[in-house]
Amino acid sequence: MDYVNVPDTPARKGKLCRLVVVSLGLLCILQVILSISLRLALYSKTAKNLTEEENSLKRKLNVFDLYTQQGWVYFGGSFYYISPFKKSWSDSREDCLQRGADLVIISSREEQNFIRQFRGYIWIGLTDTEEEGTWKWVDGTVLNKRFWETGEPNTFGGTDEDCGEVKPREEENNWNDTHCENENYWICEKIVDL
């Protein structure tokens, strides 16, 4: 079979040119459509993220408002309830547990300084009732950060002083061991995921 060689005519060249121009035009239109689609998708995702963030902030504000209206104070990721009256250490702890919290666990110098601002003898969640001399927090962790007043803990007078309190002192180191039956103010701590 022989192929016939068709000469290029101006009409053929014109058709080829139109085909190239139309193809390029279609590619440009497709690129614009794709660009717009991607921008809309990005905008939609951004709007969704902003809505979720706004809802999260509203939830946090509602939780914050709820606790502060009930007399809790927010500091460093926890809410603190400072009692207006005095009880024994165990009764104080029971009050905290009923509030969905526990006696305060002081885990940093900043938290210690925050607690020091409240005046009066205050129960904290520290005790050595399980084993004399082994001080543990109410969550069972062994005491590692210490702010004992000089000479404390000391089991004064030979009797067991198994509960920790904060004394109303200016000094940073103001913890004391004392009898759990004494009546003090207390501070509950509740960690709330905001």
Side-chain angles (χ1 to χ4, degrees):
M1 178 179 274
D2 291 329
Y3 290 99
V4 178
N5 196 4
V6 179
D8 282 341
T9 63
R12 254 181 89 77
K13 285 184 181 180
K15 282 183 181 182
L16 182 62
C17 229
R18 277 192 297 274
L19 181 62
V20 169
V21 169
V22 168
S23 297
L24 286 175
L26 287 174
L27 284 175
C28 287
I29 291 170
L30 285 174
Q31 184 179 6
V32 168
I33 290 171
L34 181 61
S35 178
I36 290 171
S37 297
L38 289 174
R39 288 177 191 258
L40 286 174
L42 180 61
Y43 173 77
S44 175
K45 185 177 180 181
T46 303
K48 181 181 177 190
N49 288 344
L50 287 174
T51 301
E52 288 172 0
E53 190 174 322
E54 179 184 12
N55 290 338
S56 174
L57 286 172
K58 284 180 182 177
R59 280 191 302 277
K60 289 177 183 181
L61 278 174
N62 288 340
V63 169
F64 188 84
D65 286 345
L66 174 69
Y67 281 102
T68 55
Q69 288 172 6
Q70 294 174 2
W72 293 77
V73 177
Y74 185 78
F75 175 79
S78 293
F79 283 96
Y80 298 86
Y81 177 79
I82 298 87
S83 71
F85 45 90
K86 298 178 179 184
K87 289 185 178 184
S88 68
W89 189 91
S90 59
D91 288 344
S92 298
R93 183 170 190 211
E94 182 58 33
D95 179 82
C96 290
L97 292 172
Q98 289 177 6
R99 295 174 189 277
D102 211 334
L103 286 171
V104 63
I105 296 173
I106 300 172
S107 55
S108 68
R109 172 168 273 112
E110 293 78 19
E111 191 173 23
Q112 167 67 4
N113 290 329
F114 170 74
I115 299 300
R116 282 181 38 226
Q117 72 180 321
F118 304 104
R119 296 295 175 212
Y121 288 84
I122 299 171
W123 290 125
I124 57 177
L126 191 58
T127 182
D128 73 344
T129 53
E130 285 183 17
E131 182 182 337
E132 185 63 31
T134 303
W135 289 89
K136 292 184 180 180
W137 293 107
V138 289
D139 68 356
T141 58
V142 177
L143 174 66
N144 60 8
K145 191 78 172 166
R146 301 166 183 266
F147 296 99
W148 292 110
E149 188 173 55
T150 303
E152 299 294 344
N154 63 6
T155 309
F156 183 73
T159 59
D160 283 342
E161 293 183 316
D162 292 330
C163 293
E165 69 180 358
V166 172
K167 295 170 87 172
R169 304 279 191 268
E170 291 297 321
E171 297 82 24
E172 184 175 68
N173 295 332
N174 63 349
W175 293 357
N176 179 49
D177 63 330
T178 191
H179 301 284
C180 300
E181 298 77 29
N182 291 352
E183 291 195 346
N184 283 345
Y185 299 104
W186 67 92
I187 297 181
C188 303
E189 178 181 14
K190 184 174 186 127
I191 299 170
V192 177
D193 184 25
L194 288 181

